[in-house]
Amino acid sequence: MNMIDAININKRFGNSIIFENLNFSVEKGEIVTIVGSSGRGKSTLLRCLVGLEKIDGGTIIIDGKKLVEDGVYAKSRDQSKILSEVGIVFQNYNLFPNLTVRGNLEIVKNDGKKIDSLLRRFGLYDRASAYPSTISGGQKQRLAIIRAMMLDPRIIFFDEPTSALDEDNRGEIVKLINELNSEQYTIVVVTHDMQFVDCLNSKIYEIQ
Amino acid sequence: MFIELLRGLLVTLELFAVCWVFSIPFGLLLCFARKNSLKFFRFLIDTYIWIMRGTPLLLQIFFLFYGLPLIFPMLQVNDRFLVGAFAFILNYVAYFAEIFRGGLKNVDKGQFESIKVLKISKLKAVFRIIIPQMLRVCLPSICNESVALVKDTALIFSIGVIELLTTAKNIVNSSADIFAYVVAAAMYLFICSLVNLAFKIFEKRLKFE
């Protein structure tokens, strides 16, 4: 069964076409990487899939539910329901700098047990009261992943996950993505880092 | 003399406190209303801010106390302090709204995207994420404006409210000794320094480190 189906989707910014008649699908539980040089609209595509941008035409189906059909979006309540299936780890993480590591999670869902267990699992328990500005890049990324997991999404999107990481942390993110995937999370990664793509056992789409 | 000056100081502090307590939240409210409202309301808010910032506070006090009752007699209010405080609030709300607008502009776009994707409620997002981040940027300007407000309070003398400076002036007039001015200056300095100190402490707390 497909988790995501994008059928003939179009996106423009003013007169410039970002993508046109783009088709792709992601099966449940698989890892998909979307590659292409910069400026090809990879991140825009991802933003369309998580509801941060609107497409101008086409159909997007997430877990069998139509988010957009022939360019017409579902009602906003339905959209919100459908989009609760997706989580995103932004390129620069977009953590809340005024909240501690724990605060960044509590504001999403105040579930102490879950937060504790995720912080332990991702090695951030000792840094729970630290502010994002005081933790390392790898830790920030792990926090962003935990935060995306707080709402129990079934699909997690990663936007250029290696762009701010060194070699060691790159290995770590590969490990984490594989781990998440083994837990039945469907993973979609947007990247231009081909070395990183080689490390992932994924289906690859290239935006031309 | 000291007791008289302290009485004047109390009026100054009262005006400062009333104005500050109302101007900050209403300034914030105006700033958010401006960002989220329809074009027409945005135009109204912009016009209000333009008028308030573009005309002297003294004129606004005169207008509210002397001018408005001439046009609308039912708006005649005899409590001079109340009318003065209202004029101050109207004026400072506009300034604070502009300061907060700058702060809001400074909040990274990514923060709003995270809020949207993580489905954080608007109220929670505003109070726990946006305002603290805005304040961090705005605090020096709010401090400046607050210090200006301490000194601006003297303008209320224009509608006959006796505050610190007017008290000092009256004492000097009757005693032909300028010492009352020196004491009043020291009092203003002390209050402004306290305001500065309070903001410095608050600024340190908002470092998020």
Side-chain angles (χ1 to χ4, degrees):
Chain A
M1 188 192 163
N2 287 346
M3 277 306 269
I4 304 172
D5 280 302
I7 306 157
N8 291 330
I9 60 171
N10 306 316
K11 176 71 188 167
R12 292 162 181 270
F13 284 126
N15 286 332
S16 71
I17 298 168
I18 308 300
F19 45 78
E20 202 165 32
N21 293 329
L22 192 133
N23 290 284
F24 80 99
S25 59
V26 181
E27 273 175 44
K28 188 179 171 187
E30 76 177 342
I31 304 176
V32 164
T33 45
I34 299 168
V35 298
S37 48
S38 53
R40 297 276 174 195
K42 303 185 299 291
S43 291
T44 307
L45 170 64
L46 190 146
R47 291 166 64 80
C48 291
L49 293 171
V50 296
L52 288 174
E53 296 279 353
K54 298 233 162 183
I55 55 168
D56 298 309
T59 299
I60 296 176
I61 303 168
I62 292 175
D63 198 14
K65 290 160 222 142
K66 283 174 183 158
L67 176 69
V68 202
E69 189 174 14
D70 294 329
V72 181
Y73 272 81
K75 283 181 193 157
S76 101
R77 195 182 288 173
D78 294 336
Q79 269 184 53
S80 174
K81 229 181 206 173
I82 296 166
L83 290 171
S84 66
E85 302 276 339
V86 304
I88 178 170
V89 178
F90 291 99
Q91 183 172 1
N92 19 338
Y93 319 127
N94 290 350
L95 299 169
F96 304 126
N98 60 308
L99 299 176
T100 60
V101 166
R102 183 180 289 281
N104 264 274
L105 306 175
E106 276 173 348
I107 197 152
V108 182
K109 196 175 178 190
N110 203 352
D111 181 345
K113 247 184 177 176
K114 185 175 183 171
I115 292 172
D116 282 347
S117 100
L118 283 169
L119 285 175
R120 278 207 181 87
R121 183 182 152 195
F122 284 83
L124 285 172
Y125 191 75
D126 295 339
R127 308 302 321 265
S129 53
Y131 283 97
S133 64
T134 63
I135 61 178
S136 70
Q139 288 173 326
K140 279 180 194 163
Q141 187 161 54
R142 275 181 275 151
L143 176 58
I145 295 172
I146 303 177
R147 200 178 63 168
M149 290 167 73
M150 284 303 291
L151 292 176
D152 300 317
R154 300 179 68 192
I155 312 162
I156 300 182
F157 292 91
F158 288 83
D159 189 8
E160 301 282 3
T162 56
S163 66
L165 297 181
D166 57 23
E167 205 60 46
D168 290 346
N169 281 314
R170 181 188 286 179
E172 198 185 329
I173 188 70
V174 171
K175 208 177 111 197
L176 275 175
I177 287 177
N178 285 327
E179 236 177 78
L180 290 172
N181 184 238
S182 68
E183 291 169 29
Q184 290 305 301
Y185 281 103
T186 303
I187 310 282
V188 179
V189 183
V190 157
T191 184
H192 67 274
D193 180 351
M194 292 314 288
Q195 250 181 310
F196 171 63
V197 176
D198 289 342
C199 302
L200 288 171
N201 182 19
S202 64
K203 182 159 96 184
I204 302 169
Y205 282 101
E206 185 175 0
I207 296 194
Q208 301 274 337
Chain B
M1 176 185 79
F2 278 106
I3 300 212
E4 276 172 80
L5 282 173
L6 280 175
R7 241 181 249 140
L9 176 66
L10 204 67
V11 176
T12 294
L13 286 178
E14 224 175 303
L15 181 60
F16 170 75
V18 169
C19 182
W20 205 84
V21 162
F22 283 98
S23 304
I24 298 264
F26 280 111
L28 258 175
L29 207 69
L30 208 64
C31 161
F32 283 110
R34 192 192 169 280
K35 187 164 191 276
N36 296 306
S37 60
L38 301 171
K39 238 181 180 177
F40 174 69
F41 289 109
R42 211 174 306 155
F43 169 75
L44 283 184
I45 293 171
D46 282 345
T47 308
Y48 166 75
I49 292 174
W50 174 63
I51 293 171
M52 286 298 150
R53 290 173 71 220
T55 56
L57 174 57
L58 192 58
L59 187 150
Q60 292 162 19
I61 297 171
F62 281 150
F63 180 76
L64 274 189
F65 191 72
Y66 299 115
L68 211 57
L70 290 178
I71 310 167
F72 304 106
M74 67 277 212
L75 291 178
Q76 171 86 44
V77 179
N78 292 324
D79 188 331
R80 289 162 190 265
F81 181 87
L82 195 73
V83 178
F86 189 59
F88 269 85
I89 292 167
L90 285 181
N91 181 275
Y92 271 82
V93 162
Y95 278 94
F96 281 124
E98 273 303 278
I99 291 174
F100 289 130
R101 187 172 69 89
L104 189 58
K105 261 190 157 177
N106 244 288
V107 177
D108 189 69
K109 194 179 141 215
Q111 298 290 298
F112 296 96
E113 292 184 345
S114 280
I115 288 165
K116 188 175 177 194
V117 169
L118 294 165
K119 294 161 192 77
I120 296 169
S121 74
K122 270 191 182 159
L123 214 62
K124 212 154 105 176
V126 165
F127 283 103
R128 293 206 46 208
I129 299 168
I130 305 301
I131 292 180
Q133 289 185 39
M134 278 168 68
L135 281 183
R136 192 182 170 198
V137 181
C138 299
L139 227 46
S141 308
I142 299 175
C143 177
N144 264 343
E145 212 50 43
S146 303
V147 168
L149 173 61
V150 173
K151 293 173 286 175
D152 275 357
T153 50
L155 288 176
I156 203 171
F157 89 95
S158 58
I159 51 171
V161 178
I162 314 291
E163 38 61 64
L164 179 57
L165 184 61
T166 314
T167 310
K169 192 178 132 221
N170 292 344
I171 294 170
V172 170
N173 282 349
S174 59
S175 65
D177 181 356
I178 61 153
F179 187 61
Y181 277 150
V182 177
V183 178
M187 283 177 171
Y188 277 115
L189 260 175
F190 179 69
I191 302 300
C192 289
S193 306
L194 271 186
V195 171
N196 258 322
L197 186 72
F199 273 94
K200 283 229 165 85
I201 292 169
F202 195 40
E203 237 174 273
K204 266 190 189 164
R205 284 188 162 204
L206 275 179
K207 266 198 169 162
F208 315 137
E209 277 171 6

